[in-house]
């Protein structure tokens, strides 16, 4: 595995290691990590042989680096002879890189996933994504399905509010997005940037639609620390540098908390955006067989169960079990996310944020 970079049910390390070994054994036993319980056959064996001849798959992803690296290792162990090159950055940075490469005639990426659903709208319009549906996609919840049969959500997480329980008693923690405007939080907040993180761009637009841009103007007056990735506020908060975050990826916070980091999660009472992350094979991918194997791997039941149980993510596979301390998606108040609007207004969102926050 090569990479570039621009939790569990139990706190027992041996138990986590045992589950990972069991997952690897299951993947090795099922050629091509066949999704949703399909049986191996000649076609699958042919694909696996072709993927091995290609020898690698290049993955552009905004997934937390620790999660992406674990998945890359699992794929390599289950598919000997195929290496994964992980190119991890913010969704907005990845998107710009992809467009720049396309303009220059460079084809480097095989598999793309993004936390900004608007990217898929534009890429489909330009014919940059190949049609490929994982087996059993018709059983996915509607939010994870693609009517064009191109990009399917393989994981999802809500954007939430993190806080440090050593610095903020639970009774004093913000319960809504508007609570972050309380003067007591001035100079004590941290926020990720929509110019880097697609999930944060989504959050900014969703809350601007709900409360108007005045909300973000007032939040800018709170003088929050600015960071890049949606994963960064968790680390700033747990270090105690700032006690409360304006945003955080719930799955990453969940995993950090399981590891013993001092961070707690607030699911805002006034609702939160659910970031459904679609994955797709690039049209003209340099390693198309390996790319399809990798996509099948991401949607396979063993991997989807791993994502739900170990990584704290919500997934489309209908047969996975979640840890008992994870809230059910149906119990959360989710705010609507419009992919078409995200594509249409993403430059406006980034421009307004820079105007308000000065960076």
């Amino acid at each position: 595995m090569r990479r570039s970079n621009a939790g569990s049910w139990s706190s027992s390390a041996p138990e986590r290691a045992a589950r990972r070994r069991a997952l690897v054994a299951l993947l090795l036993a099922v050629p091509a990590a066949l999704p949703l319980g399909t049986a191996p056959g000649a076609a699958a064996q042919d694909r696996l042989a072709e993927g091995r001849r290609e020898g690698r798959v290049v993955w552009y992803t905004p997934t937390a680096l620790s999660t992406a690296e674990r998945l890359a290792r699992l794929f390599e162990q289950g598919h000997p002879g195929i290496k994964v090159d992980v190119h991890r950055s913010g969704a907005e940075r990845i998107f710009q890189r992809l467009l720049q490469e396309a303009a220059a005639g460079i084809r480097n990426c095989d598999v793309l996933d993004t936390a900004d659903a608007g990217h898929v709208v534009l890429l489909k319009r330009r014919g940059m994504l190949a049609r490929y549906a994982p087996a059993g996609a018709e059983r996915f919840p509607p939010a994870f399905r693609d009517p064009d049969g191109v990009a399917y959500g393989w994981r999802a997480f809500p954007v939430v509010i993190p806080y440090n329980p050593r610095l903020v008693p639970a009774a004093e923690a913000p319960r809504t997005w508007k609570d972050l405007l309380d003067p007591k939080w001035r100079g004590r907040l941290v926020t990720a940037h929509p110019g880097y993180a697609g999930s944060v761009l989504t959050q900014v637009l969703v809350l601007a639609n709900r409360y108007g841009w005045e909300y973000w103007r007032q939040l800018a007056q709170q003088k929050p620390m600015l960071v890049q990735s949606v994963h960064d506020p968790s680390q700033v908060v747990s270090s105690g540098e700032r006690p409360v975050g304006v945003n955080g990826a719930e799955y990453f916070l969940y995993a950090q908390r399981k590891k013993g980091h001092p961070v707690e999660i607030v699911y805002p009472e006034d609702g939160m955006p659910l970031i459904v992350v679609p994955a797709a094979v690039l049209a003209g991918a340099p390693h198309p067989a390996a790319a399809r194997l990798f996509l099948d791997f991401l949607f396979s039941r063993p991997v989807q169960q791993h994502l739900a149980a170990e990584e704290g993510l919500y997934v489309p596979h209908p047969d996975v079990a979640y840890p008992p301390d994870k809230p059910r998606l149906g119990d959360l108040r989710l705010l609507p996310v419009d992919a078409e609007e995200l594509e249409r207004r993403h430059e406006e969102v980034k421009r307004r944020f820079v105007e308000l926050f000065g960076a």
Side-chain angles (χ1 to χ4, degrees), residues 1-301:
M1 176 187 67
R2 295 174 55 203
R3 68 162 171 94
S4 65
N5 183 34
S8 71
W9 296 45
S10 166
S11 59
S12 166
E15 287 184 14
R16 291 197 299 273
R19 283 196 294 272
R20 282 194 290 272
R21 288 194 297 271
L23 174 58
V24 170
L26 183 55
L27 291 173
L28 287 170
V30 182
L34 292 171
L36 298 183
T38 56
Q45 295 289 359
D46 289 345
R47 273 195 304 156
L48 183 56
E50 180 60 28
R52 284 174 173 161
R53 279 193 292 271
E54 293 172 350
R56 67 193 289 241
V57 58
V58 179
W59 181 25
Y60 285 12
T61 181
T63 307
L65 184 60
S66 57
T67 299
E69 289 183 330
R70 276 193 291 273
L71 291 174
R73 285 194 296 270
L74 287 170
F75 178 82
E76 291 173 352
Q77 290 173 298
H79 300 75
I82 307 176
K83 298 299 181 184
V84 181
D85 289 353
V86 178
H87 293 254
R88 193 271 160 195
S89 189
E92 302 306 315
R93 298 285 178 85
I94 290 171
F95 183 61
Q96 291 304 317
R97 173 177 176 175
L98 195 66
L99 294 183
Q100 290 166 2
E101 289 178 346
I106 298 171
R107 292 182 175 179
N108 184 51
C109 178
D110 292 307
V111 174
L112 168 78
D113 66 290
T114 176
D116 182 340
H119 295 164
V120 172
V121 174
L122 179 62
L123 294 174
K124 285 198 295 187
R125 186 185 304 143
R126 295 189 178 186
M128 293 177 64
L129 302 179
R131 183 179 297 275
Y132 187 71
E138 69 279 358
R139 298 177 61 201
F140 293 175
F144 294 82
R145 291 202 300 263
D146 180 9
D148 300 315
V150 173
Y152 292 83
W154 67 285
R155 63 185 181 97
F157 60 90
V159 176
V160 294
I161 298 173
Y163 73 94
N164 188 318
R166 296 176 183 173
L167 303 175
V168 179
E172 298 177 15
R175 310 317 304 175
T176 70
W177 299 111
K178 282 199 165 183
D179 286 347
L180 298 174
L181 303 180
D182 190 308
K184 72 181 181 180
W185 301 122
R186 184 179 174 86
R188 304 179 68 199
L189 301 174
V190 55
T191 182
H193 201 293
Y196 183 90
S199 55
V200 176
L201 189 146
T202 303
Q203 176 206 19
V204 172
L205 180 57
V206 166
L207 293 186
N209 285 344
R210 185 169 181 80
Y211 294 123
W213 284 106
E214 177 62 16
Y215 172 80
W216 290 105
R217 186 189 69 79
Q218 292 182 38
L219 192 64
Q221 293 176 348
Q222 295 285 67
K223 303 298 181 185
M225 174 191 292
L226 296 180
V227 293
Q228 288 189 323
S229 171
V230 72
H231 309 116
D232 293 341
S234 168
Q235 299 175 72
V236 172
V237 168
S238 64
S239 73
E241 192 170 0
R242 294 290 173 101
V244 175
V246 174
N247 33 54
E250 186 257 7
Y251 80 100
F252 189 73
L253 294 163
Y254 176 86
Q256 293 295 100
R257 187 176 64 185
K258 284 289 187 182
K259 294 175 183 176
H261 294 261
V263 63
E264 286 295 336
I265 301 169
V266 172
Y267 298 87
E269 296 171 359
D270 45 347
M272 67 214 83
L274 178 68
I275 308 302
V276 177
V277 181
V281 175
L282 270 290
H287 312 99
R292 285 164 172 78
L293 288 171
F294 188 72
L295 208 64
D296 285 346
F297 163 84
L298 291 180
F299 286 98
S300 66
R301 187 179 184 278

